[in-house]
Amino acid sequence: MKHPHFFYHLYCINMACPGSVFGTIHEIRLELTSENITNTHLCPQCGATLVTAIDIEIRQILVEARIQLQR
């Protein structure tokens, strides 16, 4: 029996990158595995850390609520 494969998309949010969400919006599609979601993925064009759509939404909500996460 075959198991379905689930995927998620990563995006670059570097404003200076031509492949970012501010430019041509290149997305990277990865299989949803524990290894992929725990690894850091870098933009092949500029080297910035890639993020998921939910990461972007969470950051926006935190900014609107004026909440800062400690790193």
Side-chain angles (χ1 to χ4, degrees):
M1 183 170 129
K2 290 186 177 181
H3 296 282
H5 294 274
F6 297 100
F7 297 90
Y8 70 108
H9 300 268
L10 293 168
Y11 304 91
C12 177
I13 57 171
N14 176 1
M15 292 181 80
C17 179
S20 75
V21 295
F22 304 103
T24 58
I25 309 180
H26 290 121
E27 61 184 20
I28 296 176
R29 183 177 175 212
L30 293 178
E31 188 172 357
L32 185 58
T33 65
S34 59
E35 183 176 290
N36 276 342
I37 62 173
T38 56
N39 285 341
T40 299
H41 301 281
L42 303 177
C43 176
Q45 292 187 12
C46 72
T49 302
L50 298 172
V51 298
T52 64
I54 192 67
D55 293 327
I56 296 168
E57 289 186 40
I58 290 169
R59 287 180 189 168
Q60 183 177 357
I61 290 168
L62 293 174
V63 166
E64 289 172 4
R66 297 182 183 159
I67 298 172
Q68 288 186 329
L69 294 177
Q70 294 181 359
R71 292 182 182 218

